[in-house]
Amino acid sequence: MKQQTLNGKWTLEILGDSPYKGEQIPVTIPGSVYSALLEAGKMPDPYWRDNELEALKLMQYDFAFTTEFNCDYPAPLLVCDGLDTICDIELNGNKIGYANNMHRCWEFDLSKHLNKNKPNKLKLLFHSPTKYIAEKFDEVYVEGSGDAMRGFPHIRKAHCMFGWDWGPRLPDAGIWRDISIVNIDKAVIDSVYITQNHKPDGNVELTFDVEQKSLPYTIIITAPNNTTHTSNGEPIIIENPQLWWPNGYGEQPLYIVEVTLYDENKNELDRWERRIGLRTLKVIREKDEWGESFKHRVNGIDIFAMGADYIPEDNILSHITTERKRVLLEDCIAANFNIVRIWGGGYYPGDDFYDICDELGIMVWQDFMFACAIYELTPEFEANIRAEVVDNVKRLRHHASLALWCGNNEIEWQQGMESYTATPKQKADYIRMFEYIIPQEAKAHDPNRFYWYSSPSSGGGFDEPNSDDRGNVHNWEVWHGLKPFSEYRNRLSRYISEFGFQSFPCLKTIKSFTEPEDRNIFSRIMEMHQRNCAANGRIMYYLSSTYRYPTEFEHLLYASQLLQAEAIRYGVEHWRRNRGRCMGTIYWQINDIWPVASWASLDYFGRWKALHYYAKRFYAPVLISCMETGEMTERPFCVAEPVSIKKAAKLAVSNESLNEITGTIKWVLRDASANIIINGEEKVKVKPQSSLWLYELDFSGYDELSTYFSYELEVSQTPTHLTHLSGTVLFCMPKHFNFIDPKLTVTREGEQITVTAAAYAKSVEIYSDDEDFVLSDNFFDINAGCKTVNIVRGNPKNLKVRSVYEIGRI
């Protein structure tokens, strides 16, 4: 099969009475209206201050993307991997097709109007997405997220481009993926479906369903050690297979599968090449003493899922490069992730995203692209979404990392609570779409992959879709419900695929979209970059409960990140302590789509917030954690009638590794200087993939305002990548603890940084004016003395250090 790329230089014309009327603007394809204007220097940064508002106005126009090419293919087919979104396609002035779904691959026959002896003019006319949804909304009322533009469910376009509670309203348009012309010579390989049969003797039988026109073909399997297996279509037996495992459980060997199609004369017609991992990967739902399990089982091993939710990395899709994806996913591995959930309000990432997940051992929970909306199901809409599902299932199904398909984000739950107004037909449409149409296509084209109706769900049919006893849940009682962090401990869910807490990014990121006079969290610009209504006030609500009032803007940013990290730590540690009943925690969210205050642990520029360092610790294969009892649970307000309260600590070791852990737990009750008041130790032996609780230690006779509890686990049999074997807890809120000035100092020697503290220092952050660096640890506690960390990325200079002690100090 011959292929001629049309990527590269095109011309953009913004039609109508636009500010760019009559201009021919160069655009690099893949690219868009916004990328072209930015590249040409004709548009200010839409992420700066409130420039978003002017950028949005541009989307009321139509856009013509044109190019010229020469081609003499006898059977030319235009292949468009991504058109965003409502588009008429013209060749030499003749309309040859129409596209209305950015999530599909579109093909158009060029043969009728192709000039083989002179240049051809190809024009793609994109219609205004904002006008389109407004007109459709006037025709048929559909509701959806109030943070997005009205009518967004009518268009098969990334919903979040119309705004979300973390993203701007910048519904760009353009050719966002590759575009090419192919010549179909007799036949092509449409797709290959590979079935793995893992036999009792340990060998793996591979069978192949090659979708093509009954011509001869060969299959070559190349193992990681470069040995090969060949076939003319018959099954292949892999002896002594190297199995693929999620991160933390083993290696990620990948086998290359090459299928070559020939004509009757043995001339090569087409070639299909992919990498696969040999593994079984199931979702197990079994009745048990708590209800029904929901867990991943890989190669017979039950996996505790540890990760976060992924959203598009940029509103301008051409800015999402392979290199950027790799850094993001490698930072997930650095934080001990074994899973990411691709959220249903964005887009299906490119093949490179899943290739990297295959290489790194990151399982993928894949939502289909439906979220927080009511949909009006018509025959045309049904045909469109069926094609979308088939395109993406066939494109992605070979990936070792792909763990499951999920119908949508939160729609079953929200419709069940009547969060949106739906007609009886629209409610019935939900069942047809997500419990019949989409699973039917997923089953037909990927029969061995688990399909789940919605996130959250208990099994479909609006049957308690956020139940703790079965299925998966979204837990927003902390944050949206304004409950204290300890509220997580009242929920023993089977699998949590969303829970989160917001924070501000670091000062350098805030400088990327503000002037100095904007740097107050209630300024108009700061609120424009906070899309969850009144959320800056919500951060302050939690801050007022936890820390002293910051006297410096930068300390407020720091305190917000500590709040976020502590909140998620409370949840994850609780659910990991209850391994077996709970088998997964996916926090909201990994990343940002633009510079913003949000739930992300990595900001728009990839800078690590406190939460990402905390995740590295609380997602470590072996974790020691403490369930403390104190003022948060017993006396949340200091003005309550003074009575004695319980102050206690109960330790647990969570061992997600495949090795038994033997070691010694050492605990200490200390004063604010870190002096020992009382201490003890306990020998422990923790079985693989289990959690061990210790007895409760009661400190009710000690002053909660001047004593704290530290703990550590010394391991005598250390598994690979063992981290975070220590911690501290307070029995009161940090704002009330009688901290002593720890007189922190920081020094750098080569690639190591050492912090020294004269007293107890909590949540110590090493930072500098250049915040583009990553350390082996940060935002840690010191029981007086020194702690040394390594520089993992970057070259930080002019180092500074701070702790909770500094918050609110004058």
Side-chain angles (χ1 to χ4, degrees):
M1 181 182 71
K2 295 181 179 179
Q3 184 173 25
Q4 176 181 333
T5 182
L6 296 182
N7 290 352
K9 295 301 181 183
W10 287 49
T11 299
L12 164 68
E13 183 179 359
I14 302 178
L15 306 177
D17 192 22
S18 79
Y20 308 99
K21 184 176 181 179
E23 292 191 45
Q24 300 294 307
I25 303 166
V27 55
T28 302
I29 299 301
S32 65
V33 174
Y34 291 151
S35 72
L37 293 173
L38 287 168
E39 188 175 341
K42 293 180 176 292
M43 173 185 177
D45 179 2
Y47 301 163
W48 171 254
R49 303 193 81 216
D50 58 359
N51 285 351
E52 167 204 353
L53 301 176
E54 289 301 313
L56 174 60
K57 293 177 183 178
L58 292 174
M59 288 300 120
Q60 66 184 301
Y61 301 106
D62 294 344
F63 313 97
F65 287 73
T66 58
T67 191
E68 290 191 353
F69 65 92
N70 293 295
C71 182
D72 60 358
Y73 288 167
L77 193 68
L78 179 66
V79 179
C80 308
D81 289 342
L83 300 178
D84 182 13
T85 295
I86 308 300
C87 180
D88 289 310
I89 297 91
E90 297 178 5
L91 179 63
N92 298 322
N94 302 286
K95 183 175 178 178
I96 61 170
Y98 171 76
N100 62 351
N101 188 330
M102 74 170 284
H103 304 302
R104 290 176 57 183
C105 177
W106 296 90
E107 297 180 350
F108 305 100
D109 185 1
L110 301 181
S111 58
K112 185 176 180 181
H113 300 290
L114 184 73
N115 297 319
K116 295 184 180 179
N117 300 315
K118 62 180 181 179
N120 293 271
K121 184 176 181 179
L122 179 65
K123 180 167 78 171
L124 274 61
L125 177 61
F126 290 91
H127 299 280
S128 163
T130 55
K131 284 186 177 178
Y132 180 88
I133 63 171
E135 291 168 2
K136 292 296 182 182
F137 183 77
D138 288 341
E139 293 173 13
V140 179
Y141 181 84
V142 291
E143 286 192 0
S145 168
D147 299 294
M149 299 176 71
R150 291 187 304 173
F152 77 85
H154 282 296
I155 189 171
R156 294 307 299 145
K157 175 179 174 68
H159 290 345
C160 63
M161 296 176 81
F162 293 101
W164 218 258
D165 58 3
W166 35 258
R169 296 182 183 94
L170 293 171
D172 204 359
I175 306 167
W176 72 286
R177 279 188 169 149
D178 293 339
I179 183 168
S180 63
I181 301 170
V182 300
N183 184 62
I184 307 300
D185 184 9
K186 295 184 180 180
V188 296
I189 299 170
D190 181 75
S191 68
V192 178
Y193 184 67
I194 304 168
T195 300
Q196 300 184 21
N197 179 14
H198 290 248
K199 294 180 172 293
D201 62 5
N203 295 333
V204 178
E205 179 186 56
L206 301 178
T207 57
F208 307 89
D209 180 5
V210 181
E211 196 172 336
Q212 50 91 19
K213 292 184 177 179
S214 301
L215 290 168
Y217 60 89
T218 61
I219 302 168
I220 301 176
I221 306 288
T222 304
N225 62 4
N226 290 322
T227 60
T228 60
H229 300 75
T230 61
S231 163
N232 292 316
E234 62 272 9
I236 291 176
I237 301 293
I238 307 294
E239 297 180 347
N240 302 312
Q242 300 177 55
L243 297 183
W244 183 95
W245 291 92
N247 178 42
Y249 295 86
E251 301 301 316
Q252 293 79 42
L254 296 172
Y255 289 70
I256 299 172
V257 181
E258 184 180 295
V259 181
T260 306
L261 183 68
Y262 301 92
D263 65 13
E264 298 86 346
N265 299 316
K266 297 185 179 180
N267 298 309
E268 182 178 320
L269 297 176
D270 196 11
R271 182 174 297 185
W272 183 96
E273 184 176 308
R274 303 290 188 275
R275 295 183 303 173
I276 66 170
L278 303 182
R279 86 290 181 270
T280 60
L281 203 170
K282 304 175 181 179
V283 174
I284 304 300
R285 299 171 64 201
E286 296 174 335
K287 298 294 183 183
D288 60 21
E289 59 187 297
W290 303 294
E292 183 181 82
S293 68
F294 193 92
K295 59 188 176 183
H296 304 283
R297 181 172 292 166
V298 181
N299 302 327
I301 299 295
D302 290 344
I303 306 297
F304 191 102
M306 299 186 288
D309 296 279
Y310 170 86
I311 64 171
E313 293 165 69
D314 209 300
N315 238 98
I316 301 171
L317 297 177
S318 60
H319 291 178
I320 307 175
T321 63
T322 298
E323 293 73 23
R324 192 168 168 184
K325 294 173 192 175
R326 181 170 290 278
V327 170
L328 176 84
L329 292 169
E330 287 179 348
D331 282 350
C332 290
I333 290 295
N336 294 303
F337 284 30
N338 59 35
I339 193 168
V340 296
R341 172 176 169 248
I342 298 178
W343 170 76
Y347 76 121
Y348 304 92
D351 297 320
D352 52 354
F353 184 97
Y354 303 88
D355 287 339
I356 298 167
C357 289
D358 292 345
E359 294 169 13
L360 298 178
I362 300 176
M363 298 184 295
V364 176
W365 171 309
Q366 178 67 59
D367 283 3
F368 288 105
M369 292 301 114
F370 303 88
C372 302
I374 302 295
Y375 299 96
E376 180 74 15
L377 187 63
T378 64
E380 295 76 17
F381 191 81
E382 177 179 339
N384 198 355
I385 63 173
R386 280 187 184 272
E388 173 188 326
V389 170
V390 172
D391 277 0
N392 287 286
V393 168
K394 290 170 73 171
R395 177 171 69 92
L396 300 175
R397 63 189 179 183
H398 69 278
H399 284 285
S401 56
L402 186 59
L404 64 92
W405 300 108
C406 180
N408 65 77
N409 175 75
E410 292 190 344
I411 304 176
E412 180 188 0
W413 183 34
Q414 291 170 343
Q415 280 207 24
M417 296 188 298
E418 298 184 347
S419 299
Y420 305 130
T421 302
T423 65
K425 175 190 176 298
Q426 288 169 342
K427 195 162 187 177
D429 286 347
Y430 172 87
I431 297 294
R432 288 193 62 206
M433 285 177 62
F434 300 108
E435 300 189 14
Y436 175 70
I437 293 170
I438 292 175
Q440 181 185 64
E441 296 295 351
K443 183 72 172 177
H445 299 281
D446 194 13
N448 297 313
R449 192 95 52 190
F450 181 79
Y451 175 84
W452 192 234
Y453 301 103
S454 182
S455 183
S457 181
S458 295
F462 303 109
D463 180 17
E464 297 185 273
N466 207 34
S467 170
D468 282 327
D469 300 328
R470 53 204 167 105
N472 70 306
V473 306
H474 291 189
N475 187 332
W476 286 105
E477 291 171 339
V478 176
W479 183 255
H480 287 305
L482 295 177
K483 297 290 182 68
F485 303 161
S486 57
E487 181 66 23
Y488 286 131
R489 296 174 180 171
N490 295 327
R491 297 284 297 272
L492 287 167
S493 309
R494 309 314 302 263
Y495 192 115
I496 305 90
S497 53
E498 272 194 31
F499 64 109
F501 196 98
Q502 276 204 8
S503 73
F504 298 107
C506 67
L507 183 60
K508 187 174 182 181
T509 295
I510 286 177
K511 286 180 177 179
S512 75
F513 64 82
T514 61
E515 296 282 10
E517 61 267 25
D518 300 325
R519 292 166 200 158
N520 179 299
I521 66 168
F522 297 114
S523 73
R524 188 172 186 84
I525 299 304
M526 287 293 291
E527 291 195 340
M528 284 294 295
H529 288 254
Q530 164 57 276
R531 305 315 281 253
N532 185 206
C533 293
N536 288 353
R538 186 172 281 111
I539 291 173
M540 294 305 295
Y541 169 83
Y542 277 99
L543 190 147
S544 71
S545 299
T546 311
Y547 298 114
R548 294 188 179 198
Y549 190 84
T551 56
E552 298 179 21
F553 181 68
E554 196 170 356
H555 283 172
L556 173 55
L557 308 182
Y558 165 65
S560 77
Q561 292 196 20
L562 297 185
L563 286 170
Q564 178 189 40
E566 287 290 330
I568 304 307
R569 178 187 68 82
Y570 260 80
V572 172
E573 289 185 349
H574 162 66
W575 288 310
R576 285 196 65 183
R577 288 192 290 262
N578 289 279
R579 188 197 196 277
R581 187 168 184 173
C582 176
M583 287 300 292
T585 57
I586 300 176
Y587 66 76
W588 185 267
Q589 63 206 64
I590 307 169
N591 60 301
D592 280 327
I593 198 170
W594 73 319
V596 66
S598 81
W599 296 271
S601 61
L602 298 172
D603 76 17
Y604 171 73
F605 297 101
R607 295 169 182 142
W608 287 37
K609 293 184 182 179
L611 173 55
H612 212 72
Y613 284 103
Y614 272 51
K616 183 178 181 180
R617 298 194 289 259
F618 59 57
Y619 279 157
V622 177
L623 170 74
I624 181 170
S625 64
C626 178
M627 187 176 77
E628 85 289 351
T629 303
E631 283 201 328
M632 181 187 292
T633 54
E634 305 294 302
R635 185 174 56 212
F637 300 102
C638 64
V639 295
E641 180 179 354
V643 294
S644 297
I645 64 169
K646 181 180 179 181
K647 288 155 282 184
K650 191 173 184 180
L651 295 170
V653 179
S654 304
N655 180 15
E656 195 52 33
S657 77
L658 300 179
N659 304 295
E660 184 175 79
I661 298 298
T662 301
T664 303
I665 290 178
K666 297 182 178 181
W667 59 264
V668 183
L669 186 70
R670 301 175 183 268
D671 64 19
S673 296
N675 296 318
I676 297 173
I677 299 173
I678 184 175
N679 64 331
E681 62 179 60
E682 180 82 13
K683 299 287 187 183
V684 293
K685 183 178 289 186
V686 189
K687 295 178 181 179
Q689 297 192 292
S690 70
S691 186
L692 175 69
W693 285 91
L694 274 68
Y695 50 82
E696 185 175 73
L697 299 165
D698 194 314
F699 302 115
S700 298
Y702 295 89
D703 179 14
E704 64 270 18
L705 305 182
S706 300
T707 57
Y708 73 98
F709 182 72
S710 69
Y711 50 91
E712 62 180 306
L713 172 62
E714 292 182 353
V715 179
S716 52
Q717 296 176 0
T718 306
T720 305
H721 305 309
L722 190 62
T723 58
H724 187 49
L725 296 178
S726 65
T728 73
V729 296
L730 301 174
F731 299 109
C732 66
M733 289 300 191
K735 65 181 180 179
H736 293 152
F737 188 76
N738 295 322
F739 285 105
I740 295 173
D741 185 356
K743 302 185 188 306
L744 295 175
T745 61
V746 58
T747 58
R748 175 179 173 179
E749 186 172 340
E751 296 301 300
Q752 290 190 321
I753 297 172
T754 299
V755 178
T756 303
Y760 174 46
K762 187 161 184 62
S763 305
V764 174
E765 182 193 10
I766 302 168
Y767 66 107
S768 76
D769 293 331
D770 176 11
E771 295 179 86
D772 291 333
F773 64 90
V774 175
L775 304 177
S776 60
D777 198 8
N778 209 350
F779 298 92
F780 47 77
D781 300 341
I782 302 179
N783 299 313
C786 299
K787 181 177 175 71
T788 298
V789 299
N790 297 318
I791 299 171
V792 175
R793 187 166 72 223
N795 184 27
K797 300 175 182 178
N798 303 314
L799 290 169
K800 304 175 185 177
V801 66
R802 59 187 164 209
S803 71
V804 171
Y805 173 82
E806 273 74 40
I807 299 175
R809 302 286 172 177
I810 299 176

